[in-house]
Amino acid sequence: KRNVLIIGAGGVAHVTAHKCAQNNKLLGDINIASRTLSKCEAIIDSIKEKGNLQSPGVLRAHQLDAMDIEATKALIRATNSQIVINVGSPFLNMSVLEACIGTGAAYLDTAIHEDPSKVCETPPWYANYEWKRSQACKEAGVTAVLGVGFDPGVVNAYARFAYDNYFDKVDSIDIIDINAGNHGRYFATNFDPEINFREFTSTVWSWENAQWKANKMFEHRKEWDMPVTGKSVAYLTGHDELHSLSRFLDVPNIRFWMGFGDHYINVFNVLNNLGLLSEKPVRTARGQEIVPLEVVKAVLPDPASLAGGYTGKTCIGDLVKGTKDGQAKEVMIYNTCDHEECYAEVGSQAISYTAGVPAVAAAMLIANGTWDAKRMVNVEEQDPAPFISLMNTMGLVTRIQDEQGDRILDPVQELA
Ligand code: NDP
């Protein structure tokens, strides 16, 4: 499979496009389509500026409303794209997936579909939208890889790798996401504020004793001692990956923890308690209808603008506990990423980088046939070894800590 259509021109799309360009011998033509043409063109300019095109080839920008399924199908056909990487807003997922089913192109995304009018869905979230199209993918022979960013995405592959190779029985998986970086602004979100806040204003679901448990945001906190970034407080947060891992792995406890500083929580609580994070319109004294969350988004820094000058590192990993040969065992599989190094390579911060690189690695595995499942899959349904090996060569290096110490996780060596 060759020729890639990237949907979206935000922070993650920027990285995705750079990484596709670095691998265009395998991937072929690279097309970028979004609502705002100038943003697609700016990404192409930055690829040229950084000299990130591996070999001479097509690099083209397109204006597209990806909610329009027919227009998306037409663009897939016009560009002869066999792989679509959807890194636009998660409101677009079902339309883009439909366009792929209609044209036979492979589909990849990095987040669960969201309906703008609903803040909280019943778990498992994938069953509300994506999995309903699973049969249609199978009938059309369409490969759809859901949630293949870092989290969800790489952390699902880490969970699968640990589950298959280090344990007889796994009792718990704690996914821990720490950004120990500093963007130097008073307050900002690392990706679309609307999506970011929706994650924290809804019910926090965790998978405990093989059942869904409803929690409140910031209700449960824990200090974790992470490799490289050290001790950080993280809070139980609701996240996509629990909604597939709980189905595909026989593990009774799966939780997601995200690190927040006290300052972030203070600002978030003030905004939330004032009603400024609401997506419900309010009427001003002058009779105008405005959506508070849209106003907050308009005044906050554009996440993409944080990249220059962002310092420090991220550390995201899976702490997996269980038993092997009757003995208690635990492993930590993780990645650390440096904001400044990401900026030097592709002009982005590490949050966008860690989400964009896996999507491109997955596209490459579809292009060379390794992951071309011809049906809808979540990441943990695919063999994690080639994925981890490929990312080790693409700027996202996986490490493992266990009783043998801390080392790069090279799947070939680990499984030898
Ligand atoms: P941005 O908000 O920066 O970018 C979203 C892009 O989608 C924008 O370019 C926007 O266009 C475009 N878009 C929105 N609506 C349409 C439409 N109707 N038609 C065409 N294009 C449209 O988001 P990010 O780059 O930060 O994130 C992208 C995705 O990646 C999100 O789904 C996010 O949840 C996910 N993500 C996943 C992570 C992971 O690890 N799994 C981590 C971080 C993000 P315009 O700019 O013109 O409005």
Side-chain angles (χ1 to χ4, degrees), residues 86 89-97 107 109 111-113 130:
N86 172 23
S89 132
F91 304 137
L92 310 176
N93 287 15
M94 295 315 288
S95 319
V96 178
L97 176 62
Y107 170 89
D109 67 28
I112 261 174
H113 180 78
E130 284 87 346

Side-chain angles (χ1 to χ4, degrees), residues 7-13 34-36 39 64-67 87-90 92 110-111 149-152 191-192 195 351 355:
I7 308 268
V12 180
S34 191
R35 215 160 32 182
T36 314
K39 290 193 184 175
L64 174 75
D65 175 3
M67 293 297 272
V87 279
S89 132
L92 310 176
T110 62
F150 204 97
D151 46 343
F191 55 96
D192 185 349
I195 306 300
I351 312 289

Side-chain angles (χ1 to χ4, degrees), residues 115-373:
D115 179 334
S117 65
K118 293 190 188 148
V119 173
C120 193
E121 306 268 5
T122 43
W125 289 341
Y126 285 107
N128 295 314
Y129 301 99
E130 284 87 346
W131 289 346
K132 288 185 176 155
R133 299 305 284 148
S134 167
Q135 187 59 27
C137 284
K138 205 172 185 176
E139 282 163 15
V142 163
T143 299
V145 184
L146 305 177
V148 65
F150 204 97
D151 46 343
V154 176
V155 296
N156 302 50
Y158 289 174
R160 165 59 72 184
F161 195 83
Y163 183 90
D164 284 351
N165 298 306
Y166 299 108
F167 296 92
D168 295 325
K169 192 176 175 315
V170 175
D171 296 324
S172 66
I173 301 174
D174 286 286
I175 300 164
I176 306 149
D177 177 334
I178 303 293
N179 175 13
N182 181 8
H183 51 59
R185 310 295 284 267
Y186 174 75
F187 185 81
T189 58
N190 290 300
F191 55 96
D192 185 349
E194 206 179 338
I195 306 300
N196 195 227
F197 292 137
R198 282 167 69 94
E199 223 167 83
F200 313 139
T201 45
S202 50
T203 305
V204 168
W205 294 104
S206 56
W207 182 249
E208 321 246 1
N209 300 316
Q211 281 181 4
W212 291 108
K213 180 168 179 274
N215 310 272
K216 289 199 193 71
M217 192 61 209
F218 301 126
E219 186 184 342
H220 302 284
R221 54 176 271 154
K222 200 171 157 69
E223 188 179 66
W224 300 94
D225 194 1
M226 296 295 280
V228 185
T229 52
K231 286 188 178 158
S232 293
V233 173
Y235 294 79
L236 196 70
T237 310
H239 230 243
D240 310 15
E241 43 275 52
L242 312 189
H243 297 264
S244 59
L245 288 170
S246 55
R247 169 177 280 197
F248 296 116
L249 303 185
D250 182 16
V251 176
N253 299 291
I254 312 176
R255 295 167 288 247
F256 182 88
W257 304 83
M258 187 169 275
F260 294 97
D262 291 344
H263 175 69
Y264 184 101
I265 295 172
N266 281 339
V267 176
F268 175 88
N269 283 337
V270 170
L271 292 173
N272 200 23
N273 291 335
L274 289 174
L276 287 168
L277 300 185
S278 169
E279 73 292 336
K280 298 207 173 65
V282 293
R283 196 170 283 280
T284 68
R286 283 198 282 160
Q288 277 174 313
E289 271 218 338
I290 54 167
V291 176
L293 181 55
E294 287 177 4
V295 175
V296 171
K297 179 174 171 170
V299 297
L300 286 179
D302 174 358
S305 72
L306 304 174
Y310 214 133
T311 56
K313 288 179 163 60
T314 62
C315 181
I316 314 175
D318 291 27
L319 179 63
V320 184
K321 294 186 182 178
T323 46
K324 178 76 183 169
D325 302 328
Q327 301 280 317
K329 180 176 171 86
E330 68 176 67
V331 302
M332 168 64 127
I333 305 184
Y334 70 98
N335 163 268
T336 66
C337 198
D338 185 293
H339 288 287
E340 286 172 279
E341 285 172 16
C342 298
Y343 189 69
E345 184 195 331
V346 299
S348 298
Q349 33 92 336
I351 312 289
S352 306
Y353 191 90
T354 52
V357 175
V360 178
M364 292 168 70
L365 293 175
I366 291 175
N368 70 20
T370 314
W371 265 23
D372 196 13

